[in-house]
Amino acid sequence: MKIFYAIQATGNGHISRAIQLYPYLQKYGEVDFLLSGTYASLNPSIPIKYRSNGLSLHYSQCGGLDYWNIAKKVKPNQIYKDARSLPLDQYDVIINDFDSITSLACKLQKKHSVSFGHQASFTSKLTPRPERKDVIGELIFRHYAPAPQNIGLHFERYDDFILPPIIKDEILHADPKNGGHITVYLPSFQKECLEKAFNKLPNEHFHWFLSDVKTKHRVKNITYYPVDQALFNKSVIKCQGIITGGGFETPSEALYLRKKILSIPIRKHYEQECNAAALKKMGIPVIYEVGQDFDLIIENWLTLPMNYPKIEANVIPHTLDFLFDTYPQKQNRLETNQDGLIY
């Protein structure tokens, strides 16, 4: 088969998942990847055949989304041009990890696709939400990158089409230890937002991964790292705990390794608020603002007992068997429903 796989590059998690899936997908046929978006800092070590600027997230200085910067960089004409130019007729299977360009292309070209990934889980009303739902956020879940078939990934099996997270081989086969340091991965925060708080805890050692760091170096009690998957895996496997956002892949791997987690979801980022709601149900501490007492919050977090549930890891061959077995192979008589989705 020829397989088209679209990766949303608004963050590193989508790329990390594609890297893990690539050798398994190759057993089914030839795989071509589309990378859509420009924010991700992780180097995609997979063959990218197509690229699009798509829609990328931009962050404010200290933990929020910059909606003005996001909106002014949207180019509708280019989006339609990119969607029309994708040669989807060449492919037998189209897998979409939350990319709007590919979703639009499938609609325009009347091609079936499967939405595969974390965002697909939010098509279920059973997936955790915060106490106050966001109308715009719910519309984005439903209409940003819709597909007729959904295979979701989440911390727990909230619905019958939701499966456990994809865990990297390095994490699956790791022997986790407590090396005493705290791993920090908060891509929406710049250095000056958190540095003082970390320095107030001289007895704690922080491994801080930042996109603008080029080489590993240490200043006081902080070792700064570039965003590098191998270095990050090593740090997480040996950390005593991790401070991260409200994403999906990093908390999933930390839970699998039985590491302490402190989650700080990106402000006004509805998906992360939903993830934070799920994490809170699992007993994981979540904070929504970083203030002057952040060092005290970290100290208190380190003393808290850890009673998180152990999560499952996705059995990738079984998941892909299901995906390919349920994918319509004949598309000569496609029909559309009232939402314009191809069946």
Side-chain angles (χ1 to χ4, degrees):
M1 287 189 291
K2 291 201 68 176
I3 303 163
F4 180 95
Y5 189 118
I7 307 168
Q8 172 58 262
T10 55
N12 294 322
H14 302 268
I15 295 175
S16 177
R17 178 159 53 245
I19 292 171
Q20 176 67 13
L21 288 170
Y22 181 46
Y24 294 91
L25 286 167
Q26 286 180 297
K27 297 176 183 178
Y28 295 87
E30 179 184 345
V31 189
D32 289 338
F33 290 95
L34 163 71
L35 192 64
S36 179
T38 57
Y39 183 77
S41 53
L42 189 66
N43 181 35
S45 56
I46 50 178
I48 305 297
K49 185 166 184 177
Y50 309 100
R51 288 183 181 267
S52 170
N53 287 336
L55 178 65
S56 291
L57 298 182
H58 299 272
Y59 301 116
S60 60
Q61 188 175 21
C62 292
L65 285 176
D66 184 346
Y67 284 103
W68 170 245
N69 210 9
I70 293 170
K72 73 179 183 180
K73 294 187 178 181
V74 174
K75 297 180 179 179
N77 291 338
Q78 187 62 47
I79 288 173
Y80 272 87
K81 182 180 178 182
D82 290 350
R84 287 195 180 97
S85 67
L86 284 179
L88 298 183
D89 280 336
Q90 298 178 13
Y91 296 95
D92 303 299
V93 174
I94 300 166
I95 302 171
N96 187 0
D97 191 349
F98 205 56
D99 171 47
S100 60
I101 304 291
T102 300
S103 180
L104 177 60
C106 288
K107 183 177 181 180
L108 294 173
Q109 300 179 36
K110 293 182 169 53
K111 297 287 288 184
H112 182 86
S113 67
V114 57
S115 176
F116 178 74
H118 180 54
Q119 282 80 5
S121 70
F122 293 104
T123 58
S124 171
K125 294 180 180 180
L126 301 177
T127 304
R129 264 54 169 196
E131 290 183 6
R132 180 178 295 179
K133 288 186 178 181
D134 182 271
V135 174
I136 295 176
E138 292 291 335
L139 286 172
I140 290 172
F141 283 155
R142 287 164 49 197
H143 299 294
Y144 178 77
Q149 183 179 355
N150 294 285
I151 300 176
L153 304 171
H154 216 306
F155 304 127
E156 298 182 359
R157 297 174 185 260
Y158 302 110
D159 210 328
D160 58 5
F161 68 94
I162 298 174
L163 302 174
I166 305 292
I167 305 294
K168 294 193 292 286
D169 286 338
E170 295 88 341
I171 302 298
L172 279 174
H173 306 306
D175 181 17
K177 304 289 185 183
N178 184 349
H181 65 268
I182 299 166
T183 301
V184 182
Y185 180 59
L186 292 165
S188 63
F189 284 84
Q190 295 183 14
K191 188 164 32 174
E192 53 268 30
C193 304
L194 305 174
E195 202 169 39
K196 289 182 180 179
F198 295 158
N199 288 154
K200 288 179 182 178
L201 300 168
N203 294 325
E204 303 296 341
H205 183 199
F206 296 88
H207 288 188
W208 194 357
F209 289 80
L210 289 161
S211 59
D212 59 350
V213 171
K214 303 304 178 186
T215 58
K216 173 185 172 182
H217 63 280
R218 180 167 179 169
V219 180
K220 297 181 180 178
N221 63 330
I222 304 171
T223 300
Y224 297 93
Y225 287 87
V227 177
D228 175 276
Q229 193 162 87
L231 293 173
F232 184 73
N233 292 343
K234 183 178 179 180
S235 177
V236 171
I237 289 167
K238 295 184 178 180
C239 73
Q240 64 167 316
I242 180 167
I243 303 174
T244 189
F248 176 60
E249 281 72 21
T250 298
S252 295
E253 293 178 346
L255 282 166
Y256 187 81
L257 292 170
R258 307 291 295 151
K259 299 293 184 178
K260 299 192 76 168
I261 304 168
L262 178 61
S263 174
I264 311 174
I266 297 169
R267 292 194 308 274
K268 301 180 181 179
H269 190 308
Y270 187 57
E271 180 203 334
Q272 294 219 352
E273 291 175 359
C274 292
N275 292 340
L279 291 171
K280 286 175 73 173
K281 286 184 176 182
M282 300 169 78
I284 293 165
V286 175
I287 63 172
Y288 296 91
E289 296 287 342
V290 172
Q292 297 296 320
D293 62 344
F294 187 44
D295 57 312
L296 301 179
I297 291 173
I298 295 172
E299 278 190 316
N300 182 58
W301 164 64
L302 290 173
T303 63
L304 290 174
M306 191 185 78
N307 298 309
Y308 314 155
K310 182 171 176 60
I311 66 168
E312 299 177 72
N314 193 291
V315 182
I316 296 174
H318 294 176
T319 296
L320 293 182
D321 280 347
F322 173 76
L323 189 158
F324 287 106
D325 287 346
T326 58
Y327 196 94
Q329 299 301 315
K330 294 183 179 180
Q331 303 190 43
N332 295 327
R333 301 177 64 184
L334 295 178
E335 297 178 357
T336 59
N337 69 2
Q338 61 184 356
D339 296 321
L341 297 182
I342 307 301
Y343 283 88

